[in-house]
Amino acid sequence: MIAEKMKPYVKNNSAIRMMFEEGKRLRAIYGPENVFDFSLGNPSVPAPDCVRQAIIDLVNEEEPTILHGYMSNAGFEDVRQTIAESLNRRFGTSFAAKNLIMTVGAASGLNVAFKTILNPGEEVIVFAPYFLEYGAYVRNYDGKLVEISPDTATFQPNLKEFEEKVTPKTRAVIVNTPHNPTGVVYSEETIKKLAEILEAKQKEFGTVIYLISDEPYRELAYDGVQVPYLTKYYANTIVGYSYSKSLSLPGERIGYLVIPDEADGSEELIAAAAIANRTIGCVNAPSLIQKVIAKCVDAEVDVAAYDKNRLALYNGLKDLGFECIKPQGAFYLFVKSPVADEKAFCEAGKKYNILMVPGSSFACPGYVRLAYCVSYETIMNSLPQFAKLAEEFGLK
């Protein structure tokens, strides 16, 4: 009764969402305070006060037919110009309204980008571990996903293997920094080497390869770590952004694409992306929340709250004998499973009402992801349960 393309998605429904649903079931049984759900990257920090005030002001003051009406498929021009100017102030870029397409979150933005640039059979390279729905987005447009195996020592991209796997069919490369699921920030050195490889391969094959920078966690960086803005390093970069994490608005589904003038065929790309925004069924990004973003464009995320959680969970688990890399950004901890089958480890965690996502959901088995965008109390209350789990597996 369903399309053949949908059958594998139904069979392999997102482990993240399945754990989230399991969390709801356990909370109903044991009470919310006794369930330690680290499954979903759902921000626990409320949206800044300016968001609420902006909604009130807009509803009270804006002409309703404009506030709730259609606009260009690319989004309100004044909103796009306001965001462009903010980016220019922060990163020394030179974007204008025309370089931005407002999208229904980062996921929709990636789909718009792939619909715009991908022909059937063309390849998109990803670095494992990666957000597994990248594969679904690429397959939506009959592209082929090519995985680069993880460097589990640093979780920086494996550039040697990457260079070997770029082919004449390579159309795009996805990078995600700060990174889900590891929390790693790709260094400027890494980005420069990646750009050099892409430049050389474009010249070798006579093709255009787009670097797609998926940036929903850009503002979540710790210890003074700088997150490079990729358009400065490689002309054929398309940036996808979401306000889901930076302004704690995941349910509002608002983000944008940046297509710089320097990108090959930028005018045609921008025009096609606006049309793609319509033809994938979004039509345009939600009107009210676009206007809200314009009023809150320079609002800052409460990084300190996530940093407090990061240190508490990282130090707590390390003290219990678990192995994990210290995250530099985002709000995830990628922990090595004490047994090869990390799904068995996740099942064991359920006995202590600890919900984790297996690393195989990110093409990196042997690890689990913990989303620490929960309350600080949840983290502190979970540590005695993690101690029982560590004891079960013979850790410290």
Side-chain angles (χ1 to χ4, degrees):
M1 296 298 291
I2 64 172
E4 290 297 321
K5 261 190 174 182
M6 282 303 300
K7 289 180 179 178
Y9 298 132
V10 173
K11 183 178 180 182
N12 301 309
N13 193 17
S14 167
I16 301 171
R17 286 288 172 174
M18 289 173 68
M19 282 291 185
F20 178 65
E21 295 300 327
E22 177 70 358
K24 290 200 295 186
R25 186 185 73 83
L26 292 175
R27 284 191 289 274
I29 298 171
Y30 300 105
E33 71 280 2
N34 298 312
V35 176
F36 313 106
D37 186 354
F38 297 100
S39 62
L40 192 62
N42 195 26
S44 58
V45 174
D49 291 341
C50 68
V51 170
R52 178 177 177 274
Q53 192 59 51
I55 293 171
I56 293 170
D57 292 344
L58 286 162
V59 170
N60 287 335
E61 299 168 8
E62 189 84 19
E63 167 60 44
T65 56
I66 294 174
L67 184 60
H68 304 299
Y70 284 133
M71 80 296 297
S72 162
N73 296 134
F76 289 115
E77 185 171 1
D78 61 322
V79 173
R80 291 182 283 131
Q81 184 63 34
T82 298
I83 296 171
E85 290 172 1
S86 175
L87 293 173
N88 294 342
R89 287 193 301 272
R90 294 166 60 201
F91 304 116
T93 50
S94 54
F95 304 134
K98 67 184 177 70
N99 298 113
L100 276 82
I101 309 288
M102 302 304 296
T103 63
V104 185
S108 178
L110 290 174
N111 275 271
V112 167
F114 292 138
K115 185 169 181 64
T116 300
I117 66 173
L118 271 184
N119 294 303
E122 290 183 329
E123 297 171 349
V124 177
I125 294 178
V126 292
F127 297 96
Y130 63 91
F131 182 52
L132 215 60
E133 291 197 3
Y134 288 162
Y137 303 159
V138 169
R139 288 188 291 273
N140 282 344
Y141 310 101
D142 298 315
K144 178 184 176 184
L145 199 73
V146 176
E147 293 181 3
I148 307 300
S149 58
D151 173 359
T152 54
T154 66
F155 288 107
Q156 293 283 320
N158 183 339
L159 294 182
K160 184 176 184 299
E161 182 180 334
F162 168 68
E163 188 169 13
E164 294 168 354
K165 287 189 173 179
V166 178
T167 75
K169 289 187 175 182
T170 302
R171 184 62 165 157
V173 178
I174 307 175
V175 292
N176 170 223
T177 174
H179 186 249
N180 174 15
T182 66
V184 164
V185 173
Y186 292 173
S187 67
E188 184 179 43
E189 180 185 8
T190 292
I191 297 302
K192 286 180 175 179
K193 288 180 179 177
L194 178 66
E196 287 173 7
I197 293 169
L198 287 172
E199 293 283 7
K201 291 296 182 179
Q202 285 188 137
K203 190 172 182 180
E204 178 183 350
F205 300 133
T207 59
V208 173
I209 303 172
Y210 291 103
L211 179 61
I212 298 178
S213 183
D214 181 27
E215 301 189 353
Y217 305 99
R218 165 166 285 283
E219 277 69 45
L220 298 179
Y222 313 107
D223 299 330
V225 170
Q226 297 297 308
V227 182
Y229 201 81
L230 270 62
T231 61
K232 294 182 175 183
Y233 302 90
Y234 183 67
N236 284 326
T237 296
I238 298 172
V239 177
Y241 185 80
S242 166
Y243 290 95
S244 292
K245 319 302 181 184
S246 62
L247 292 184
S248 295
L249 298 173
E252 299 296 348
R253 311 310 306 140
I254 186 68
Y256 59 76
L257 290 177
V258 175
I259 302 174
D261 289 338
E262 294 77 14
D264 282 339
S266 62
E267 287 189 20
E268 189 177 22
L269 277 178
I270 291 166
I275 293 168
N277 207 24
R278 182 179 77 237
T279 58
I280 67 172
C282 294
V283 182
N284 53 255
S287 58
L288 170 61
I289 204 68
Q290 283 193 55
K291 294 284 191 179
V292 169
I293 292 303
K295 286 180 172 289
C296 303
V297 70
D298 291 322
E300 295 184 358
V301 64
D302 185 4
V303 175
Y306 293 126
D307 193 20
K308 184 178 179 181
N309 287 0
R310 173 184 73 122
L311 296 174
L313 189 60
Y314 172 76
N315 291 328
L317 294 186
K318 290 286 283 186
D319 289 345
L320 292 172
F322 290 102
E323 294 182 40
C324 50
I325 191 165
K326 189 175 185 179
Q328 300 169 298
F331 42 48
Y332 304 110
L333 202 62
F334 208 48
V335 182
K336 188 173 183 180
S337 170
V339 289
D341 183 0
E342 88 281 5
K343 292 182 180 179
F345 179 57
C346 289
E347 282 300 312
K350 290 181 186 178
K351 292 186 294 186
Y352 307 101
N353 290 343
I354 297 170
L355 297 178
M356 305 172 283
V357 179
S360 49
S361 296
F362 304 94
C364 189
Y367 289 79
V368 298
R369 190 194 77 170
L370 306 179
Y372 56 81
C373 51
V374 296
S375 71
Y376 181 71
E377 291 71 26
T378 295
I379 288 175
M380 297 310 294
N381 292 338
S382 74
L383 292 177
Q385 298 301 98
F386 273 113
K388 295 175 185 176
L389 185 60
E391 184 178 359
E392 178 177 335
F393 285 90
L395 300 178
K396 181 178 175 182

